[in-house]
Amino acid sequence: MTAEISAAALVDMGTNFSFAYQPIVNVAAGRAYAHEALVRGLVNEPAYKIIEQYQGAQFATFDAACRVRAIEIAARIGMDTCLSLNFLPSAAIDENAGLDSTLEAAAAHSFPVDRIIVEATEGEAIADHKRFASVVNEYKSAGIRLAIDDFGSGHSGLNLLAEFQPDIVKLDMVLVRDIHSHGPRQAIVRAITQMCRDLGIDVVAEGVETAGEYEWLVDANINLLQGYFLARPAFEMIPPINIEFTRQQ
Ligand code: G
Ligand code: MN
């Protein structure tokens, strides 16, 4: 077994890239519930330009360095909501890039661990339920919450929820698109939402782009919303939210 890569090495790798943050809005409370960290270049180059530089053996280290860097910047810009970090389960189960560095970064920057959410995004690794469940349990026992990203997109599906229950399910934006005028998507989203309520799982709808989508989702009592309609990701800052909360409770 090789030792986990040093915290200093991860911090050093993190100086090569930066982050934008996009609100996940609690429309019932009328404020941001969390901010999702999205990797960017040092001068706001798009994510793919950074990710393509770290393919192969370096990728697990990159994934861990992302979490460290995203926490550092979130603390620096004074984030007082939850912080949602994307993670690749296959990278997180790599012994060189485990949980310790994320916990160390949270402690170093005084970011409370119970305000960290990790979004699992990689279908293939999640499909290895046993292995993934042990990673999830490690995170959970540290106080970190788990979201399943892109739910309903093919890789992340119902069978997963039978095996273990995340804290949050993020509906894939394909299900959200034009939902106000699409009967089948409405039926699917209603059923997923009911199931999640029964299981005690919070639902986030992502990729909300229009007023029509927004209104339908709010009427369906889906109160955690993310997407360009509410706010675009903002580079190294917390963006204002575009909408007035006329439906505030
Ligand atoms: O895989 P994941 O769900 O983490 O992807 C998030 C990506 O979706 C980010 O690149 C983010 O910029 C993008 N995104 C966020 N909101 C919207 C939206 O309303 N529409 C579209 N098309 N993309 C979005
Ligand atoms: Mn995500």
Coordinates of all heavy atoms in Angstrom, one line a residue, residues 20 22-23 36-40 47 85-87 119-121 149-151 170-173 176-177 206-210 213 226-233, ligand 1:
A20 N -15.7 28.0 -10.1 CA -16.9 28.8 -10.2 C -17.9 28.2 -9.2 O -17.8 27.0 -9.0 CB -17.4 28.9 -11.6
Q22 N -22.1 27.8 -8.3 CA -23.5 28.0 -8.8 C -24.5 27.7 -7.6 O -24.4 26.6 -7.1 CB -23.8 27.1 -10.0 CG -25.2 27.4 -10.6 CD -25.5 26.5 -11.8 OE1 -25.1 25.3 -11.8 NE2 -26.3 27.0 -12.7
P23 N -25.4 28.6 -7.3 CA -26.3 28.3 -6.2 C -27.3 27.2 -6.5 O -27.8 27.0 -7.6 CB -27.1 29.6 -6.1 CG -26.3 30.6 -6.8 CD -25.6 29.9 -7.9
E36 N -22.7 24.7 -5.7 CA -21.9 23.6 -6.4 C -20.7 24.2 -6.9 O -20.7 25.2 -7.6 CB -22.7 23.0 -7.5 CG -21.9 21.8 -8.2 CD -22.7 21.0 -9.2 OE1 -23.9 21.3 -9.4 OE2 -22.1 20.1 -9.8
A37 N -19.5 23.6 -6.6 CA -18.2 24.0 -7.1 C -18.0 23.4 -8.5 O -18.1 22.2 -8.6 CB -17.1 23.6 -6.1
L38 N -17.6 24.2 -9.4 CA -17.4 23.7 -10.8 C -16.0 24.2 -11.2 O -15.7 25.4 -11.2 CB -18.5 24.3 -11.8 CG -19.9 23.9 -11.4 CD1 -20.9 24.8 -12.0 CD2 -20.2 22.5 -11.8
V39 N -15.2 23.2 -11.6 CA -13.8 23.5 -11.9 C -13.6 24.5 -13.1 O -14.4 24.4 -14.1 CB -12.9 22.2 -12.0 CG1 -13.2 21.5 -13.3 CG2 -11.4 22.5 -11.9
R40 N -12.6 25.3 -13.0 CA -12.3 26.3 -14.1 C -10.8 26.5 -14.1 O -10.1 26.2 -13.2 CB -13.0 27.7 -13.8 CG -14.5 27.7 -13.8 CD -15.1 27.5 -15.2 NE -16.5 27.7 -15.2 CZ -17.4 26.7 -15.1 NH1 -16.9 25.4 -15.0 NH2 -18.7 26.9 -15.1
A47 N -14.4 24.0 -17.8 CA -14.0 22.8 -17.1 C -13.2 21.8 -18.0 O -12.2 21.3 -17.5 CB -15.2 22.2 -16.5
L85 N -19.6 19.4 -3.7 CA -18.4 19.0 -4.5 C -18.7 17.8 -5.4 O -19.2 16.8 -4.9 CB -17.3 18.7 -3.5 CG -16.9 19.7 -2.4 CD1 -15.9 19.1 -1.4 CD2 -16.3 21.0 -3.1
N86 N -18.3 17.9 -6.6 CA -18.4 16.7 -7.5 C -17.3 15.8 -7.2 O -16.2 16.2 -7.0 CB -18.3 17.2 -9.0 CG -19.6 17.9 -9.4 OD1 -20.6 17.3 -9.6 ND2 -19.5 19.2 -9.5
F87 N -17.6 14.5 -7.2 CA -16.5 13.6 -7.0 C -16.8 12.3 -7.8 O -17.9 11.9 -8.1 CB -16.2 13.3 -5.6 CG -16.9 12.1 -4.9 CD1 -16.2 11.3 -4.0 CD2 -18.2 11.8 -5.1 CE1 -16.8 10.2 -3.4 CE2 -18.8 10.7 -4.5 CZ -18.1 10.0 -3.6
E119 N -21.2 15.1 -4.5 CA -22.1 14.6 -5.6 C -21.4 13.5 -6.4 O -20.4 13.8 -7.0 CB -22.4 15.8 -6.6 CG -23.1 17.0 -6.0 CD -23.5 18.0 -7.0 OE1 -23.5 17.7 -8.2 OE2 -23.9 19.1 -6.5
A120 N -21.9 12.3 -6.3 CA -21.3 11.2 -7.0 C -21.9 11.2 -8.5 O -23.1 11.3 -8.7 CB -21.7 9.9 -6.3
T121 N -20.9 11.1 -9.4 CA -21.3 11.4 -10.8 C -21.0 10.3 -11.7 O -21.3 10.4 -12.9 CB -20.6 12.6 -11.3 OG1 -19.2 12.4 -11.1 CG2 -21.0 13.9 -10.6
D149 N -25.8 12.5 -8.4 CA -26.0 13.5 -9.5 C -26.6 12.9 -10.7 O -26.5 11.7 -10.9 CB -24.5 14.0 -9.8 CG -24.5 15.5 -10.3 OD1 -25.6 16.1 -10.5 OD2 -23.4 16.0 -10.6
D150 N -27.2 13.7 -11.6 CA -27.7 13.3 -12.9 C -28.7 12.1 -12.8 O -28.7 11.2 -13.6 CB -26.5 12.9 -13.8 CG -25.5 14.0 -14.0 OD1 -25.9 15.1 -14.0 OD2 -24.3 13.7 -14.0
F151 N -29.5 12.1 -11.7 CA -30.4 11.0 -11.5 C -31.4 10.9 -12.6 O -32.1 11.9 -13.0 CB -31.1 11.2 -10.1 CG -31.9 9.9 -9.7 CD1 -31.2 8.9 -9.1 CD2 -33.2 9.8 -10.0 CE1 -31.9 7.7 -8.7 CE2 -33.9 8.7 -9.6 CZ -33.3 7.6 -9.0
K170 N -30.3 14.5 -7.3 CA -30.3 15.6 -8.2 C -30.9 15.1 -9.5 O -30.3 14.3 -10.2 CB -28.9 16.2 -8.4 CG -28.3 16.8 -7.2 CD -27.0 17.6 -7.4 CE -27.3 18.9 -8.0 NZ -26.0 19.7 -8.3
L171 N -32.1 15.6 -9.8 CA -32.7 15.2 -11.1 C -31.9 15.7 -12.3 O -31.6 16.9 -12.4 CB -34.1 15.7 -11.2 CG -35.2 15.3 -10.1 CD1 -36.5 16.1 -10.3 CD2 -35.4 13.8 -10.3
D172 N -31.7 14.8 -13.2 CA -30.9 15.2 -14.4 C -31.7 16.2 -15.2 O -32.9 16.2 -15.3 CB -30.7 13.9 -15.3 CG -29.7 14.2 -16.4 OD1 -28.5 14.4 -16.1 OD2 -30.1 14.3 -17.6
M173 N -30.9 17.1 -15.8 CA -31.6 18.3 -16.5 C -32.4 17.8 -17.7 O -33.3 18.5 -18.2 CB -30.6 19.4 -16.9 CG -29.5 19.1 -17.8 SD -28.5 20.6 -18.1 CE -27.4 20.6 -16.7
V176 N -35.8 17.7 -16.6 CA -36.3 19.1 -16.2 C -36.7 19.8 -17.5 O -37.6 20.6 -17.5 CB -35.2 19.8 -15.4 CG1 -35.6 21.3 -15.3 CG2 -35.0 19.2 -14.1
R177 N -36.0 19.5 -18.6 CA -36.2 20.3 -19.8 C -37.6 20.3 -20.3 O -38.2 19.3 -20.6 CB -35.2 19.8 -20.9 CG -35.1 20.8 -22.1 CD -34.5 22.1 -21.7 NE -33.2 22.0 -21.1 CZ -33.0 22.4 -19.8 NH1 -33.9 22.9 -19.1 NH2 -31.8 22.2 -19.3
E206 N -32.0 20.1 -11.4 CA -30.9 20.9 -11.9 C -31.2 21.2 -13.4 O -32.0 20.6 -14.0 CB -29.6 20.1 -11.8 CG -29.5 18.8 -12.4 CD -28.2 18.1 -12.2 OE1 -27.3 18.6 -11.5 OE2 -28.0 17.0 -12.8
G207 N -30.5 22.3 -13.8 CA -30.6 22.7 -15.2 C -31.9 23.4 -15.5 O -32.4 23.4 -16.6
V208 N -32.5 24.1 -14.5 CA -33.7 24.9 -14.7 C -33.4 26.2 -15.5 O -32.6 27.0 -15.1 CB -34.4 25.3 -13.3 CG1 -35.7 26.1 -13.6 CG2 -34.6 24.1 -12.5
E209 N -33.9 26.3 -16.7 CA -33.5 27.3 -17.6 C -34.7 28.3 -17.9 O -34.4 29.4 -18.4 CB -33.1 26.7 -18.9 CG -31.7 26.0 -18.8 CD -31.2 25.6 -20.2 OE1 -31.9 25.6 -21.2 OE2 -30.0 25.1 -20.2
T210 N -35.9 28.0 -17.7 CA -37.0 28.9 -18.1 C -38.0 29.1 -16.9 O -38.1 28.3 -16.0 CB -37.8 28.3 -19.3 OG1 -38.4 27.1 -18.9 CG2 -36.9 28.1 -20.4
E213 N -40.4 26.1 -16.7 CA -39.9 24.9 -15.9 C -39.9 25.2 -14.4 O -40.4 24.4 -13.6 CB -38.5 24.6 -16.3 CG -38.3 24.1 -17.7 CD -36.9 24.2 -18.3 OE1 -36.0 24.7 -17.6 OE2 -36.7 23.7 -19.4
Q226 N -31.7 24.4 -9.2 CA -30.4 24.9 -9.7 C -30.5 25.1 -11.2 O -31.2 24.3 -11.9 CB -29.4 23.9 -9.3 CG -27.9 24.2 -9.8 CD -26.9 23.1 -9.5 OE1 -27.3 22.0 -9.1 NE2 -25.7 23.4 -9.6
G227 N -29.9 26.1 -11.7 CA -30.0 26.3 -13.2 C -29.8 27.8 -13.6 O -29.9 28.7 -12.7
Y228 N -29.6 28.0 -14.9 CA -29.3 29.3 -15.4 C -30.5 30.3 -15.1 O -30.2 31.5 -14.9 CB -29.1 29.2 -16.9 CG -27.9 28.5 -17.3 CD1 -27.7 28.0 -18.6 CD2 -26.8 28.1 -16.4 CE1 -26.6 27.3 -19.1 CE2 -25.7 27.4 -16.8 CZ -25.6 27.0 -18.1 OH -24.5 26.3 -18.5
F229 N -31.7 29.7 -15.0 CA -32.8 30.6 -14.7 C -32.7 31.3 -13.3 O -33.1 32.5 -13.1 CB -34.2 29.9 -14.7 CG -35.4 30.7 -14.5 CD1 -35.8 31.6 -15.5 CD2 -36.1 30.7 -13.3 CE1 -36.9 32.5 -15.3 CE2 -37.2 31.5 -13.1 CZ -37.6 32.4 -14.1
L230 N -32.0 30.6 -12.4 CA -31.8 31.1 -11.0 C -30.5 31.9 -10.9 O -30.5 32.9 -10.3 CB -32.0 30.0 -10.0 CG -33.4 29.4 -10.0 CD1 -33.3 28.0 -10.5 CD2 -34.0 29.5 -8.6
A231 N -29.5 31.3 -11.4 CA -28.1 31.9 -11.4 C -27.2 31.0 -12.2 O -27.2 29.8 -12.1 CB -27.6 32.1 -10.0
R232 N -26.3 31.7 -13.0 CA -25.2 31.0 -13.7 C -24.1 30.8 -12.7 O -24.0 31.6 -11.8 CB -24.8 31.8 -14.9 CG -25.8 31.7 -16.1 CD -25.3 32.4 -17.3 NE -26.3 32.2 -18.3 CZ -26.2 31.3 -19.3 NH1 -25.1 30.5 -19.4 NH2 -27.1 31.1 -20.2
P233 N -23.2 29.9 -13.0 CA -22.0 29.8 -12.2 C -21.2 31.1 -12.2 O -21.1 31.7 -13.3 CB -21.2 28.6 -12.8 CG -22.2 27.8 -13.6 CD -23.2 28.9 -14.1
Ligands
G1 O1 -22.8 16.8 -14.1 P1 -23.2 18.0 -13.3 O2 -24.7 17.9 -13.0 O3 -22.4 18.2 -12.1 O4 -23.0 19.2 -14.3 C1 -23.2 20.5 -14.0 C2 -22.9 21.3 -15.2 O5 -24.2 21.8 -15.7 C3 -22.0 22.5 -15.1 O6 -21.1 22.5 -16.1 C4 -23.0 23.7 -15.1 O7 -22.3 24.8 -15.7 C5 -24.0 23.2 -16.1 N1 -25.3 23.8 -15.8 C6 -25.8 24.4 -14.7 N2 -27.0 24.9 -14.8 C7 -27.3 24.7 -16.1 C8 -28.5 25.0 -16.9 O8 -29.5 25.6 -16.4 N3 -28.5 24.6 -18.2 C9 -27.5 23.9 -18.7 N4 -27.6 23.6 -20.0 N5 -26.3 23.6 -18.0 C10 -26.3 24.0 -16.7

